Amino acid sequence: MKPSVCSPNCSVRRVADPGRGTAAHSRAERLDGAVEESDIDALLVTEMNNVEYLTGFSGSNGACLVGSGLRIFYTDFRYATRAAEEIAGWEVEIVPGEWLSGLAGLISSAVGDGSIGIEDDHVTVRTSRLLGENLSGGTSLTDAGGLVEFLRRSKDDDEVAAIAAASMLTDSIYSEVFDRGMVGRTEADVAGFVVSRMRELGAEPSFPPIIASGPNGALPHAEPGSRKISPGELVVMDMGSRVDRYCSDCTRTVATGTLPEEAAGIYDVTLRANERALEAIAAGKGASEIDAVARDLIEEAGYGEHFGHGLGHGVGLEVHEAPRLGPRSEDTLVEGDVVTVEPGIYLPGRHGVRIEDLVVVGAEGISRNLSSHPKNLTVVD
Ligand code: ZN
Ligand code: ZN
């Protein structure tokens, strides 16, 4: 109940110096605005990517409470020193005793007779119950998922720079894979090379790479195995790295020699679907509208039933985050969204194609395509 937070029972503590000028500060301020517009008095953020996004805290246990001027970060005694080093502009409280009951006591006393939103997309039923049972007085819990995820969509320059660096590193590994040759190697060997090169270059894979050759390419989530890559087939390669905590994601499909007509044909259709969808992207457009641009083209070419996944997804601290580009998505693109565009055609038992670019959404169109590796059908033998 919104007004109650400023009622006489309210025990809101305001932070004197909220660390002005830091990215974390402006994020907390934006979240404060979002909470203000909602019907909760404060949001309890417990999803650790969201906690890190807001506060910069890199430990594995923490939570924060934002709203009505509150900026409180909670952790346990193990992280007292790290919290002091990493967090500026937040009141830091160490939760005594058992985590959930201790946390419930502290958030109750911070908000008083008010309603605290929890991130119901992430909080388990058990956590929600234990928090609820240990609240005191007139504090109530309500589901309020997705507020931080929405803020995370608009990437600032530093975030885009980290994603671009991760993307460039992945592109350079594509070049190395192609220079090294693929025919005769197993999928697992190529995948192992990708991961070890990422680590040598100081990054981590943002997900286990997919190297899917010939008929395996028809499985969108194929795991690299012992199949030897043969001449004259398609190889789908999907990989990304993580630099400064931010992920990249890029798929390229190459030919290992002259292709059967059908394989060359589905490559051509997929590439056109990718390019057409990229041209359609702009802030303010519906994510399902962009999906439809690619899907309609693939359907018209007769492969509609073989494009069985959504067109793309947001990328940032997580390799799959908001928004979602798909036929049923209700998201609208915003400036600063970093999204993939990855149409694919998968013909079971024969071959598959996926072409995935990672782009920054601007007001008029794409402000930057972070995937620079060429998309014309490349022959790698
Ligand atoms: Zn991918
Ligand atoms: Zn992807």
Side-chain angles (χ1 to χ4, degrees):
M1 309 310 106
K2 189 119 233 150
S4 66
V5 83
C6 293
S7 72
N9 290 334
C10 164
S11 56
V12 168
R13 281 159 290 171
R14 286 166 201 283
V15 175
D17 174 15
R20 291 203 171 277
T22 64
H25 165 66
S26 68
R27 289 169 186 175
E29 210 159 63
R30 284 163 64 215
L31 180 58
D32 211 22
V35 169
E36 189 63 37
E37 283 172 22
S38 73
D39 52 9
I40 54 171
D41 297 308
L43 180 70
L44 178 68
V45 181
T46 48
E47 199 282 320
M48 287 312 295
N49 287 301
N50 289 344
V51 170
E52 179 173 7
Y53 176 79
L54 292 168
T55 64
F57 177 70
S58 66
S60 66
N61 190 37
C64 46
L65 189 67
V66 180
S68 313
L70 290 169
R71 301 259 198 290
I72 309 177
F73 171 79
Y74 304 101
T75 189
D76 62 66
F77 70 97
R78 294 171 301 163
Y79 290 117
T81 309
R82 188 187 298 204
E85 285 166 4
E86 291 182 340
I87 297 176
W90 292 74
E91 184 177 339
V92 175
E93 293 196 0
I94 303 302
V95 174
E98 200 277 324
W99 173 251
L100 286 175
S101 55
L103 182 62
L106 292 177
I107 60 176
S108 273
S109 70
V111 172
D113 287 350
S115 114
I116 297 178
I118 55 168
E119 298 183 293
D120 54 305
D121 291 346
H122 306 287
V123 171
T124 64
V125 172
R126 179 180 174 275
T127 296
S128 168
R129 178 173 52 79
L130 287 174
L131 278 174
E133 284 171 2
N134 287 284
L135 292 174
S136 57
T139 314
S140 61
L141 288 186
T142 182
D143 292 344
L147 290 178
V148 185
E149 281 80 357
F150 185 75
L151 293 187
R152 275 169 53 185
R153 286 180 50 186
S154 303
K155 269 69 178 179
D156 64 28
D157 292 349
D158 289 344
E159 294 178 289
V160 172
I163 299 169
S167 212
M168 268 177 63
L169 190 140
T170 306
D171 281 347
S172 76
I173 292 173
Y174 269 117
S175 300
E176 289 187 38
V177 168
F178 298 159
D179 290 348
R180 189 169 169 260
M182 292 176 70
V183 173
R185 295 187 192 282
T186 65
E187 297 169 347
D189 169 61
V190 176
F193 174 78
V194 166
V195 171
S196 67
R197 282 300 290 145
M198 276 179 191
R199 294 198 169 130
E200 281 164 21
L201 295 168
E204 279 294 317
S206 53
F207 59 94
I210 294 170
I211 310 291
S213 61
N216 290 345
L219 309 164
H221 296 287
E223 281 184 28
S226 58
R227 185 182 186 278
K228 274 199 173 142
I229 297 169
S230 308
E233 62 185 17
L234 288 168
V235 185
V236 179
M237 288 177 288
D238 191 351
M239 59 174 109
S241 52
R242 188 187 290 264
V243 171
D244 291 341
R245 294 283 293 115
Y246 281 82
C247 300
S248 74
D249 187 6
C250 175
T251 307
R252 289 293 180 260
T253 301
V254 295
T256 52
T258 307
L259 291 175
E261 201 175 318
E262 180 185 63
I266 59 171
Y267 189 91
D268 183 55
V269 174
T270 308
L271 179 56
R272 281 191 288 129
N274 166 281
E275 287 172 340
R276 203 73 72 75
L278 290 174
E279 283 163 19
I281 279 183
K285 292 218 187 149
S288 62
E289 207 184 313
I290 309 300
D291 177 273
V293 170
R295 200 166 299 278
D296 290 352
L297 190 146
I298 290 173
E299 255 165 34
E300 278 161 26
Y303 296 107
E305 61 178 306
H306 300 293
F307 175 24
H309 56 75
L311 181 67
H313 52 87
V315 173
L317 287 171
E318 293 170 280
V319 73
H320 289 108
E321 58 178 52
R324 200 165 51 81
L325 282 71
R328 282 171 296 281
S329 173
E330 289 176 2
D331 295 325
T332 300
L333 295 179
V334 300
E335 218 173 327
D337 264 329
V338 175
V339 296
T340 69
V341 172
E342 49 181 304
I345 297 175
Y346 310 93
L347 303 180
R350 304 211 287 281
H351 29 233
V353 178
R354 182 165 64 257
I355 303 172
E356 177 180 31
D357 283 356
L358 184 60
V359 302
V360 185
V361 177
E364 309 286 332
I366 286 169
S367 69
R368 220 172 139 190
N369 188 333
L370 304 175
S371 308
S372 62
H373 220 278
K375 288 184 286 189
N376 289 334
L377 185 57
T378 306
V379 176
V380 179
D381 45 20

